[in-house]
Amino acid sequence: VAAANFGRYTRPKFNLVLLIILQLSLHTVEGVWPLPQSFTSSTERYPLNPKAFYFGYGRQSAAQQDCSVLDAAFKRYFSLIFPDYTSDNLSVSAGQASLNAETVWGALRGLETFSQLVYQDDFGTYFVNKTEIDDFPRFQFRGILLDTSRHYLPVQAILKTLDAMAYSKFNVFHWHIVDDPSFPYQSRTFPDLSSTGAFHPMTHIYTQSDVRRVISHARLWGIRVLPEFDSPGHTQSWGKGQSDLLTPCYRGSTPSGTFGPVNPVLPSTYQFMARLFKEVSSVFPDSYIHLGGDEVDFSCWKSNPDVRAFMQKMGFGGDFTKLEAFYMEKIVNITSALKKTSIVWQDVFDYHERVMLHIWKGTPASYKEELSRMTKAGMRVLLAAPWYINHIAYGQDWRNYYTVQPLNFSGTEEQKKLVIGGEVCMWGEYVDATNLTPRLWPRASAAAERLWSDEKQTSSVDEAFPRLQDFRCKLVRRGIRAEPLHVGHCKHEYQGV
C-alpha cells in the first residue's frame, strides 16, 4: 500500500468508530493544524475518561482487527490523547463518535485531527467539543527532505522527524541520503561505497536494517519514503569507493588528479548504475525514486578529451546539456525497467514523459514562470523553491512560508492539476541532530497547512498565528523540540532538558 500512486480522492471504503463518554457542558474548541476543509464546532463538550475510552472498528469497515497500521495507531494515539494516563485496562463506554475514511491512511489523518480536538482543563480532566469535520488534502504530495550526507543524522533523529511529520499531516519523507560529502548508505552490492565514502565506516552509516526500520516506522505513520541517489553531479563521495566512475579532469593535455561528475561515456558507468539501482529498488519499496540531476558542473567534462571525442561522435557539438540529457535518459530507462517512476530536479527539463519535475530554485516570479512553462509541456511538478527552510532569519519567518500560493501562476485549470504538491527542504550544511528539530518545527508546519488546507480559508497569517502557537505547544508536549514562534509560554513546557 505504501507504493500507491499519488492519486485522486475516492469514495469512503470503511468506517472507524471512536467510543467516548458523552456529557453536556461548555467550552470552546482549540484549533486544529492543518485547518480542515470543513470544520463546525459547538460549545457542547464531552469529558473523556481514559479508563472508559476505546477505539474500535465499525461493523461495515473493510479494515478490521489485525490491520497493523490502525492497530498500532490506536495504541499510539491513546497515549497522545491521554499523555498522563498509562494503564492498558480499557472498557467500552456508552457514547460514540464516528470517523469515516476512504483508506487506512485517511483514518490516520482523522485520528490526528481527533487527537488535536482533545484538551485538558486546569484540573486535569480531558474534554472534546461536539464537532463535525469533513476533510481531505489539497495536494497529494506533502513532503519533507532531510539531507544525511552533509551531516549524518542518527536513525533516532529521523524517526522523531517522521513522528512530527505525521502530526502536521506530511506524507512523504524525501531521503537525500548521499551527496558529495559522504555516502552513508551501506550497499550490499557495493560495500566499498560506504566503507570509504562515509564519514566513518561503522558509526556514520545506514545499514540495510536501519533503512528497513525507517521505512517500517514511516509506513505506520502513513508516510512514504522516497530515496534520492543524485547523479551525475553531487557524487564526489561515490568515487572514493568505485574506481572509474567519476570523470578525470584535465589541465591541458594531462590529468589534474581531480574528478568531476559521473563519467557518462563509459559502458561500465551504466552497468554499475543498473546494479546499484536494482538493489536500491528492492530496499526502498516505493514506486517513486528521485534521480537528482541538478547542478552539474560541465567544466570537467569539457576538459576531458575522451568526453569531447564522445560528444563529437554523438553529434552533440559543444552542447553539454545534451550530454547530461543522454546520461539522465539512460538512468531513467534503468529505473523504469525496475518499475519505478522517476523524479528529477528542474535542471533536467527534457520533456520526458516518465519523470516528475522538482522545482527548487528561483524567486517567486521565476518559479511561477517555471511552473507555467513545465505544466504547459504536460509535465507533473513538485514545488520546493519557496520552502528551503534551512535558511533562517530572525523573527517570524514562518509567515513567508505560509503565504506561498502554489497555484498562483499563469496557466489553465488542466495545467494546475499537474502540480502534484510540494516539499519542505532541510539541507544539512549547518544542520545535524543538535538543531534539526527546532529549526524544522513549527516552521515546516506553515507549509504543511498550505499543502493540506483550502487556500481561501487560510489566507490570513494573523488568524493562523494563535492556532500555530497552540499547535507548537502540542508538539512540545509530545516531545518535539519545536522552537517558539514569539514571546509566550506553553501550559506544558518541554520536559526533555
Side-chain angles (χ1 to χ4, degrees):
V1 185
N5 284 325
F6 300 110
R8 295 192 176 279
Y9 229 57
T10 55
R11 290 180 181 274
K13 294 192 177 80
F14 63 83
N15 295 333
L16 178 67
V17 175
L18 310 172
L19 301 175
I20 56 178
I21 287 182
L22 307 181
Q23 182 178 321
L24 183 66
S25 59
L26 298 173
H27 190 72
T28 56
V29 175
E30 299 290 346
V32 173
W33 194 280
L35 187 71
Q37 302 289 334
S38 171
F39 184 101
T40 306
S41 63
S42 163
T43 53
E44 290 182 36
R45 69 173 185 174
Y46 312 127
L48 301 185
N49 182 354
K51 295 179 182 178
F53 184 95
Y54 176 77
F55 287 113
Y57 295 90
R59 290 182 181 177
Q60 304 301 315
S61 172
Q64 290 292 334
Q65 198 161 354
D66 297 327
C67 170
S68 60
V69 172
L70 291 179
D71 286 351
F74 293 162
K75 293 179 181 176
R76 203 166 58 232
Y77 274 101
F78 184 89
S79 298
L80 290 173
I81 291 167
F82 305 112
D84 300 330
Y85 189 78
T86 56
S87 174
D88 290 330
N89 298 319
L90 304 179
S91 60
V92 179
S93 65
Q96 71 176 31
S98 65
L99 167 59
N100 303 319
E102 23 179 84
T103 63
V104 291
W105 317 121
L108 288 180
R109 310 302 172 220
L111 285 169
E112 175 57 41
T113 298
F114 177 75
S115 74
Q116 292 187 32
L117 292 172
V118 178
Y119 57 92
Q120 266 183 299
D121 66 13
D122 291 337
F123 302 100
T125 303
Y126 293 96
F127 293 93
V128 63
N129 282 56
K130 180 180 179 182
T131 307
E132 290 187 16
I133 289 174
D134 183 17
D135 205 8
F136 54 88
R138 185 183 181 203
F139 292 100
Q140 295 302 308
F141 188 112
R142 305 177 304 281
I144 295 271
L145 176 149
L146 294 185
D147 168 12
T148 57
S149 173
R150 289 171 176 86
H151 281 98
Y152 177 83
L153 294 175
V155 170
Q156 197 57 43
I158 296 175
L159 300 183
K160 197 75 168 175
T161 301
L162 291 169
D163 295 352
M165 285 173 62
Y167 303 151
S168 290
K169 299 189 171 78
F170 283 103
N171 69 339
V172 180
F173 168 40
H174 177 174
W175 194 349
H176 189 89
I177 193 166
V178 298
D179 206 299
D180 281 328
S182 73
F183 197 106
Y185 170 74
Q186 187 178 59
S187 167
R188 283 183 177 163
T189 314
F190 301 102
D192 288 348
L193 289 171
S194 62
S195 66
T196 59
F199 289 134
H200 188 283
M202 299 297 289
T203 59
H204 286 59
I205 59 169
Y206 301 107
T207 65
Q208 307 268 311
S209 176
D210 291 333
V211 172
R212 283 194 299 271
R213 186 178 172 201
V214 169
I215 292 171
S216 175
H217 191 92
R219 176 181 173 273
L220 291 177
W221 281 113
I223 295 171
R224 307 163 62 136
V225 179
L226 170 67
E228 181 183 355
F229 286 80
D230 189 358
S231 71
H234 291 279
T235 48
Q236 289 298 299
S237 66
W238 301 42
K240 295 175 182 177
Q242 185 66 20
S243 60
D244 300 325
L245 179 64
L246 302 186
T247 307
C249 306
Y250 277 68
R251 186 179 295 111
S253 59
T254 58
S256 65
T258 60
F259 295 87
V262 166
N263 192 332
V265 308
L266 297 179
S268 59
T269 291
Y270 303 104
Q271 293 163 8
F272 164 79
M273 289 294 185
R275 292 180 65 195
L276 177 64
F277 280 115
K278 183 178 181 181
E279 176 190 309
V280 167
S281 69
S282 66
V283 173
F284 293 89
D286 200 272
S287 59
Y288 283 73
I289 189 167
H290 206 300
L291 301 178
D294 62 317
E295 297 184 313
V296 180
D297 182 357
F298 295 147
S299 60
C300 185
W301 282 353
K302 289 177 182 177
S303 76
N304 186 291
D306 295 331
V307 173
R308 290 201 306 269
F310 183 82
M311 293 276 288
Q312 294 306 310
K313 175 186 170 185
M314 297 299 293
F316 294 161
D319 188 351
F320 284 86
T321 61
K322 290 182 178 178
L323 181 59
E324 183 186 1
F326 169 85
Y327 170 84
M328 292 304 298
E329 180 79 15
K330 290 267 198 181
I331 303 303
V332 169
N333 287 342
I334 287 170
T335 53
S336 294
L338 296 166
K339 303 292 190 288
K340 298 288 187 181
T341 300
S342 301
I343 303 177
V344 295
W345 296 108
Q346 71 187 81
D347 312 51
V348 190
F349 182 28
D350 60 359
Y351 301 91
H352 197 298
E353 63 182 11
R354 286 175 292 170
V355 303
M356 187 185 295
L357 292 170
H358 205 155
I359 298 176
W360 68 274
K361 56 186 175 182
T363 61
S366 64
Y367 71 67
K368 287 175 186 177
E369 186 179 322
E370 289 288 272
L371 282 166
S372 181
R373 186 168 70 99
M374 292 172 179
T375 55
K376 190 174 183 180
M379 305 296 292
R380 292 179 300 159
V381 296
L382 298 169
L383 182 63
W387 293 311
Y388 266 43
I389 66 171
N390 48 290
H391 300 297
I392 57 173
Y394 187 76
Q396 298 187 44
D397 59 351
W398 70 271
R399 291 170 174 259
N400 301 328
Y401 310 131
Y402 191 79
T403 54
V404 173
Q405 298 178 335
L407 301 186
N408 185 18
F409 63 92
S410 177
T412 64
E413 286 305 308
E414 289 304 308
Q415 281 180 249
K416 295 186 178 184
K417 288 177 183 176
L418 291 171
V419 180
I420 306 301
E423 184 173 88
V424 169
C425 296
M426 180 58 78
W427 296 99
E429 287 89 349
Y430 305 99
V431 176
D432 66 7
T434 64
N435 63 344
L436 169 66
T437 300
R439 189 168 288 196
L440 194 53
W441 308 107
R443 296 158 76 231
S445 302
E449 181 151 290
R450 186 55 54 236
L451 292 168
W452 180 281
S453 305
D454 178 76
E455 190 171 273
K456 292 179 181 176
Q457 294 184 57
T458 54
S459 59
S460 170
V461 179
D462 291 337
E463 288 180 13
F465 176 75
R467 222 167 14 91
L468 184 57
Q469 201 167 34
D470 178 65
F471 179 66
R472 181 256 167 178
C473 287
K474 287 186 172 85
L475 292 178
V476 167
R477 192 175 191 192
R478 292 179 179 190
I480 305 299
R481 301 171 73 115
E483 70 178 21
L485 292 170
H486 198 49
V487 175
H489 79 288
C490 291
K491 184 177 179 181
H492 302 277
E493 294 289 1
Y494 186 74
Q495 298 299 313
V497 290

